Amino acid sequence: MIISPSILSANFANLEQDIKKVTDAGATWIHIDVMDGHFVPNITIGAPVVKDIRKITNAKLDVHLMIENPEKYVDDFINAGADIITFHQEAKVVSRSLINYIKSKNKMVGISIKPTTFVGSIAEFIPMVDMVLIMTVEPGFSGQEFMFDAAEKIKIVSDIAKKQNPNLIIQVDGGINEKTAKICKDFGANCLVAGNYIYKNENIKEAVQTLLNI
Ligand code: DX5
Ligand code: ZN
């Protein structure tokens, strides 16, 4: 299981230490939630922050773009040092072109769907991408409750991937804890994002280890 701790739940005044805490605990990815106040009702991190994070960690920087017009900003995040760029199907971009563009820059590319969006809307892209991100909360905020109905889509993606893209990373984001992580794994997920479960835990190391060994 790949664990990608979401720094949205970290202390932004102590970001370097908070990133070190999770990488020391065994996490090899860092999930960076980029929100623009339009695609979602919250504003968070931009490319300059990603650029500074790049200088202090070797972890894979997993950038989750919850923004309108991702095609306009993707170069900024690539140049800042992102390793994986995920954009939303609902951002109404020409997905095929954006996927090919990100791949042409030798970066990994992910496509994400919100809890109420059908897998059918991204099925044609599953063979092309490195990762599919299934949201199990409405994107916008950390600390929300896991939506079981949305998690059922993991199984649908996993079944398609078995035939069409066996190396696909199936990532799940929103409300992950030791119980919901198990549900996601059973449905076929191999990558979990976790914000509050890790950063609001008294023992961060144990939280990361628990998810790694789920
Ligand atoms: C929500 C973000 C998530 C969020 C996860 O819009 O995409 O990455 O930070 O936080 P938790 O794990 O607390 O639900
Ligand atoms: Zn996220």
Side-chain angles (χ1 to χ4, degrees):
M1 189 61 80
I2 299 168
I3 302 305
S4 195
S6 166
I7 56 166
L8 190 56
S9 299
N11 178 350
F12 285 166
N14 286 310
L15 209 43
E16 183 169 4
Q17 286 111 295
D18 275 7
I19 288 172
K20 197 166 180 306
K21 277 183 197 162
V22 293
T23 52
D24 284 352
T28 51
W29 288 28
I30 295 293
H31 187 81
I32 303 175
D33 286 307
V34 176
M35 304 186 189
D36 65 353
H38 293 280
F39 185 75
V40 288
N42 196 7
I43 300 176
T44 57
I45 298 166
V49 178
V50 175
K51 192 173 172 202
D52 283 347
I53 294 174
R54 178 72 292 162
K55 294 177 199 151
I56 58 111
T57 183
N58 292 321
K60 268 200 195 305
L61 300 185
D62 164 30
V63 173
H64 179 191
L65 297 179
M66 285 161 276
I67 62 174
E68 284 178 5
N69 305 117
E71 74 286 359
K72 283 192 190 162
Y73 299 96
V74 81
D75 276 324
D76 291 347
F77 289 96
I78 291 170
N79 294 334
D83 297 294
I84 305 154
I85 308 257
T86 299
F87 66 93
H88 269 263
Q89 182 276 341
E90 302 86 353
K92 295 190 192 82
V93 64
V94 183
S95 298
R96 188 169 294 272
S97 316
L98 189 54
I99 290 166
N100 284 330
Y101 181 74
I102 296 169
K103 283 165 102 174
S104 77
K105 298 287 171 180
N106 289 319
K107 300 293 175 184
M108 287 167 74
V109 58
I111 190 161
S112 180
I113 49 174
K114 292 183 185 182
T116 55
T117 303
F118 296 112
V119 173
S121 66
I122 55 161
E124 64 183 294
F125 308 118
I126 292 178
M128 298 175 66
V129 292
D130 298 290
M131 183 164 91
V132 167
L133 165 52
I134 305 286
M135 290 302 301
T136 42
V137 297
E138 268 311 315
F141 301 91
S142 57
Q144 303 180 75
E145 200 166 326
F146 181 82
M147 296 165 76
F148 185 86
D149 290 357
E152 288 180 323
K153 292 185 287 182
I154 300 165
K155 173 90 173 70
I156 303 171
V157 172
S158 171
D159 286 344
I160 299 173
K162 269 180 203 140
K163 292 181 210 129
Q164 299 185 5
N165 187 356
N167 295 323
L168 183 73
I169 299 171
I170 303 176
Q171 184 179 62
V172 187
D173 184 6
I176 294 297
N177 57 38
E178 74 272 21
K179 280 198 196 116
T180 57
K182 178 81 176 61
I183 295 169
C184 295
K185 185 184 176 182
D186 290 347
F187 277 138
N190 50 16
C191 180
L192 301 173
V193 174
N196 272 20
Y197 176 71
I198 291 175
Y199 278 110
K200 307 297 175 204
N201 204 297
E202 276 170 31
N203 190 334
I204 287 186
K205 181 156 194 194
E206 208 175 271
V208 172
Q209 283 296 320
T210 301
L211 295 181
L212 279 170
N213 298 310
I214 210 86

